[in-house]
Amino acid sequence: GDSVTQMEGPVTLSEEAFLTINCTYTATGYPSLFWYVQYPGEGLQLLLKATKADDKGSNKGFEATYRKETTSFHLEKGSVQVSDSAVYFCALSDKNNNDMRFGAGTRLTVKP
Amino acid sequence: SQTIHQWPATLVQPVGSPLSLECTVEGTSNPNLYWYRQAAGRGLQLLFYSVGIGQISSEVPQNLSASRPQDRQFILSSKKLLLSDSGFYLCASSAIAGVGTQYFGPGTRLLVL
C-alpha cells in the first residue's frame, strides 16, 4: 500500500542554517503530497502541498518539489529561525485511500 | 477554509472511567472526518474515519468507538479507559475523500492514570 518514509530526527540546527528534511513515498497512483508542521502542544497545520509532478509548494520560506522520478518531496529552508522549532510531517493522499498517509515525523530544534 | 474545534483541550481520567471527546467542524458541509491518536514522541495513528452521518470505519481494533450524530460533529468514546489510551487525540476534516487536504483541530491531550 501507499506509504511515506521521512528522515529520522531529531534534527538540531543553529539559527540561519540551511534545512533539509528528506521524504520519499511509495504509491500506486498519482498522489498529492503535503508537509504539515506541529508546534509544541498544538494540532497539525498544513505548511505546503503539491498535487502533481514538478509542482513546487512553498510557504513561510519553506519549499518542497514533487519529484516523480525519485518519488521524493524533500522539505528545504534556506535560513531557519528559532520559531521554526517543531515537528514536521510528510504526508500523501491518493484517491485510492480514504485517509492520508503520514510519515513518522521529524523533530527540528533551532538554537539561537 | 475549514475550522475544527475540539474539546476538552486537556483531560485526566482514571483507568476504567468512560471517555467522550468532541469535534465539530465549521466552514464546510459533508466533510470526511477523522480521529487520529499521537502517542508521546510518535507519529499519527488513524483510529476512525467517517464519510457521512452514521458511517464509521475503524482502522484499529481497540476499546474506543466513534460516532457521527450530525454532519459536522464527530465523537470519540470509550466505556472503560486503559492506561494505553493516553495520548494526544486529533480530529481532522477533509472536503474530499482521499485527495483532499486534511485540516486539523487543536487536539485533546488525554492522560489516563
Side-chain angles (χ1 to χ4, degrees):
Chain A
D2 294 359
S3 66
V4 174
T5 302
Q6 66 180 98
M7 171 179 175
E8 288 190 19
V11 174
T12 302
L13 295 174
S14 297
E15 206 164 21
E16 299 184 1
F18 184 85
L19 169 71
T20 300
I21 301 178
N22 290 337
C23 171
T24 57
Y25 68 89
T26 302
T28 53
Y30 299 94
S32 295
L33 301 174
F34 306 80
W35 276 101
Y36 283 85
V37 58
Q38 184 180 32
Y39 298 103
E42 299 183 9
L44 274 67
Q45 300 176 26
L46 178 66
L47 181 59
L48 52 86
K49 69 177 183 181
T51 58
K52 61 182 187 298
D54 298 327
D55 270 2
K56 177 186 283 187
S58 61
N59 185 26
K60 299 180 181 180
F62 291 89
E63 291 183 341
T65 301
Y66 190 142
R67 301 284 188 201
K68 187 170 180 290
E69 64 276 13
T70 54
T71 61
S72 65
F73 193 54
H74 304 322
L75 182 68
E76 296 182 337
K77 186 174 185 181
S79 177
V80 293
Q81 306 300 312
V82 173
S83 57
D84 294 326
S85 297
V87 180
Y88 292 82
F89 291 91
C90 185
L92 71 80
S93 70
D94 186 277
K95 63 180 180 180
N96 295 316
N97 304 325
N98 285 309
D99 64 316
M100 187 170 279
R101 304 297 167 92
F102 288 87
T106 302
R107 181 176 298 278
L108 169 67
T109 301
V110 180
K111 297 189 173 180
Chain B
S1 65
Q2 304 167 38
T3 302
I4 320 298
H5 301 281
Q6 286 187 246
W7 64 90
T10 305
L11 192 59
V12 180
Q13 291 284 94
V15 169
S17 63
L19 173 73
S20 180
L21 303 182
E22 189 161 347
C23 168
T24 58
V25 181
E26 293 180 2
T28 186
S29 296
N30 303 314
N32 298 291
L33 298 175
Y34 308 84
W35 277 112
Y36 291 89
R37 177 169 58 201
Q38 185 178 28
R42 308 285 291 274
L44 294 166
Q45 178 187 31
L46 178 66
L47 302 175
F48 301 95
Y49 68 88
S50 171
V51 298
I53 295 174
Q55 301 179 61
I56 308 295
S57 295
S58 174
E59 292 292 303
V60 182
Q62 58 213 325
N63 68 318
L64 299 172
S65 62
S67 62
R68 186 169 176 175
Q70 300 181 45
D71 180 45
R72 289 174 287 178
Q73 184 184 29
F74 205 24
I75 297 172
L76 183 70
S77 304
S78 174
K79 292 182 179 178
K80 286 186 178 181
L81 283 168
L82 306 173
L83 286 174
S84 57
D85 292 324
S86 294
F88 193 47
Y89 288 82
L90 290 161
C91 178
S93 171
S94 171
I96 305 171
V99 296
T101 301
Q102 288 192 12
Y103 296 93
F104 285 79
T108 294
R109 188 164 304 281
L110 172 66
L111 179 60
V112 182
L113 300 174

